[in-house]
Amino acid sequence: MILKVYTSLLLLFWVNSVWTRTVRQVYDDLDPGHWSHYTSECPQECFCPPSFPNALYCDNKGLKEIPPIPARIWYLYLQNNQIETISEKPFANATHLRWINLNKNKITNSGIENGVLSKLKRLLYLFLEDNELEEVPAPLPVGLEQLRLARNKISKIPEGVFSHLENLTMLDLHQNSLLDSALQSDTFQGLNNLMQLNIAKNSLKKMPLSIPANTLQLFLDNNSIEVIPENYFSAIPKVTFLRLNYNKLSDDGIPPNGFNVSSILDLQLSHNQLTKIPPINAHLEHLHLDHNKIKSVNGTQMCPVSIALEEDYGYYGNIPRLRYLRLDGNEIQPPIPLDIMICFRLLQAVVI
């Protein structure tokens, strides 16, 4: 189970890292005939590397409009311009587009022609970060795998906007203006293959409703969340990475065994208002509790299994898997209690 989770995450990170590299390959020694072939349709404002004929680089050109996109283009880079509108005309021949980067422009919802995005049938990756959107654009291409909308002004998610995006694995909405009222029980309906959901840096006071069941990574940092509902994580049984840093969680806001969840391997609760360490599961590997109000640590109480029982099982038993523990920024005085080390035998780093 854990190996399968790590494999899925590795694939996600690999896709992110490989395809976001800027491809600028050497073309000086190429046959001039090849150069002419690949640049004949290239917009004069853009760069069409003949060694990467499916890519079109129009980034950092001061563009106010999207130029006509040649039919052969799969990867379109339009970031860091002054583009305000997305109309259908430039994409008339661009039926093979897989990737569009429109980050850092001036695009508003009213500037997106109705239906223009959904007509890009083969589009897999759509980046619209750092624009001026006030709501999630709709309708969207049904084949999308990644949708990045960070750092806009989004306060509204239209009903049903995600309902047909069964292939979406990443949804990034961090640093927008979302309130609890924007996240209804059916908001994420249809996202059956979502792996990463990022709603950090919004204005949430409650845990969002109806997170897709297959979610592996849930990022809710920098909100104002005070309470974890009872059995909240039973609805997302595969969640592995959970970030709740910079919220308003107190001891009273966490139900008994609220974070005692076997799927969670990385739990981040830094910069909250906790005075004690909440119960954790033996499978947890990384725990961040720095900058809370914790005054002391009792390893026997913190240990997710009986230390006596752990002695009976030995190294090959169900010993706690915690490898990293961060407790700095609290009111804890060193040294580290011996029973911490007895319980968590796999610990490689403790920050106190």
Side-chain angles (χ1 to χ4, degrees):
M1 170 62 184
I2 293 174
L3 179 60
K4 185 182 293 186
V5 168
Y6 274 132
T7 303
S8 299
L9 292 173
L10 183 61
L11 178 62
L12 179 64
F13 291 138
W14 181 85
V15 169
N16 290 345
S17 61
V18 169
W19 289 112
T20 52
R21 296 172 188 165
T22 302
V23 180
R24 301 283 191 184
Q25 299 181 348
V26 178
Y27 56 87
D28 290 341
D29 296 330
L30 291 175
D31 186 329
H34 289 138
W35 172 267
S36 175
H37 172 72
Y38 288 127
T39 59
S40 60
E41 295 179 327
C42 186
Q44 64 179 13
E45 311 97 322
C46 305
F47 173 63
C48 297
S51 53
F52 193 33
N54 297 120
L56 179 60
Y57 291 90
C58 307
D59 50 310
N60 296 287
K61 302 295 184 181
L63 300 179
K64 293 187 177 181
E65 296 181 350
I66 299 174
I69 310 303
R72 70 173 187 273
I73 298 303
W74 286 25
Y75 310 104
L76 177 58
Y77 299 86
L78 288 161
Q79 67 269 28
N80 292 300
N81 282 293
Q82 304 294 317
I83 297 169
E84 297 181 358
T85 61
I86 303 177
S87 60
E88 188 173 338
K89 186 177 180 181
F91 299 103
N93 298 318
T95 57
H96 296 283
L97 276 173
R98 304 292 202 276
W99 172 296
I100 298 178
N101 189 334
L102 275 160
N103 292 345
K104 295 186 177 180
N105 278 283
K106 296 184 177 181
I107 298 167
T108 61
N109 288 95
S110 60
I112 301 176
E113 187 175 331
N114 187 38
V116 62
L117 295 176
S118 63
K119 291 178 181 178
L120 302 173
K121 302 295 186 182
R122 300 188 182 185
L123 195 66
L124 302 177
Y125 302 87
L126 178 57
F127 298 173
L128 282 165
E129 299 178 343
D130 295 284
N131 277 278
E132 298 179 11
L133 299 173
E134 295 184 350
E135 61 182 70
V136 174
L140 291 163
V142 295
L144 270 187
E145 294 182 6
Q146 289 191 19
L147 178 59
R148 304 193 184 209
L149 299 169
R151 294 179 298 278
N152 276 275
K153 303 174 182 177
I154 296 173
S155 61
K156 181 180 178 182
I157 301 178
E159 184 177 356
V161 67
F162 302 129
S163 60
H164 300 294
L165 303 186
E166 293 187 0
N167 295 326
L168 199 72
T169 60
M170 173 190 281
L171 175 58
D172 191 345
L173 288 163
H174 89 268
Q175 200 166 332
N176 277 284
S177 303
L178 292 170
L179 300 171
D180 296 317
S181 57
L183 305 180
Q184 300 298 314
S185 59
D186 60 350
T187 295
F188 301 113
Q189 185 175 347
L191 299 180
N192 298 327
N193 290 296
L194 195 70
M195 295 173 65
Q196 184 185 106
L197 178 59
N198 191 342
I199 326 178
K201 294 188 177 181
N202 278 277
S203 300
L204 304 180
K205 294 183 178 180
K206 300 177 181 179
M207 296 291 284
L209 301 171
S210 300
I211 300 297
N214 285 320
T215 302
L216 298 176
Q217 301 175 330
L218 179 58
F219 303 150
L220 292 163
D221 314 77
N222 292 90
N223 281 285
S224 298
I225 296 171
E226 299 180 355
V227 176
I228 307 294
E230 190 84 31
N231 299 319
Y232 181 83
F233 299 105
S234 62
I236 42 176
K238 297 182 181 180
V239 64
T240 305
F241 293 85
L242 178 61
R243 292 196 334 216
L244 280 159
N245 303 320
Y246 291 96
N247 276 283
K248 296 182 178 180
L249 289 171
S250 64
D251 302 327
D252 294 336
I254 301 175
N257 294 311
F259 294 119
N260 187 0
V261 180
S262 61
S263 65
I264 298 178
L265 303 182
D266 190 298
L267 176 59
Q268 300 190 20
L269 298 168
S270 305
H271 293 272
N272 277 280
Q273 300 172 10
L274 302 175
T275 64
K276 59 184 179 181
I277 298 175
I280 60 174
N281 192 273
H283 290 92
L284 187 68
E285 296 184 3
H286 295 82
L287 178 59
H288 298 247
L289 286 165
D290 55 287
H291 298 90
N292 277 275
K293 300 179 179 180
I294 301 170
K295 295 183 179 180
S296 63
V297 180
N298 186 316
T300 303
Q301 293 178 357
M302 179 184 174
C303 194
V305 300
S306 166
I307 292 179
L309 187 62
E310 187 179 339
E311 291 286 347
D312 293 338
Y313 275 116
Y315 185 82
Y316 296 102
N318 189 30
I319 66 172
R321 300 177 187 176
L322 194 68
R323 288 171 166 80
Y324 180 88
L325 175 60
R326 184 170 178 183
L327 292 166
D328 56 305
N330 284 283
E331 301 175 27
I332 303 168
Q333 298 298 320
I336 300 168
L338 180 60
D339 51 4
I340 290 283
M341 309 309 296
I342 294 174
C343 174
F344 301 106
R345 301 182 191 182
L346 301 181
L347 263 177
Q348 296 175 357
V350 181
V351 184
I352 193 169

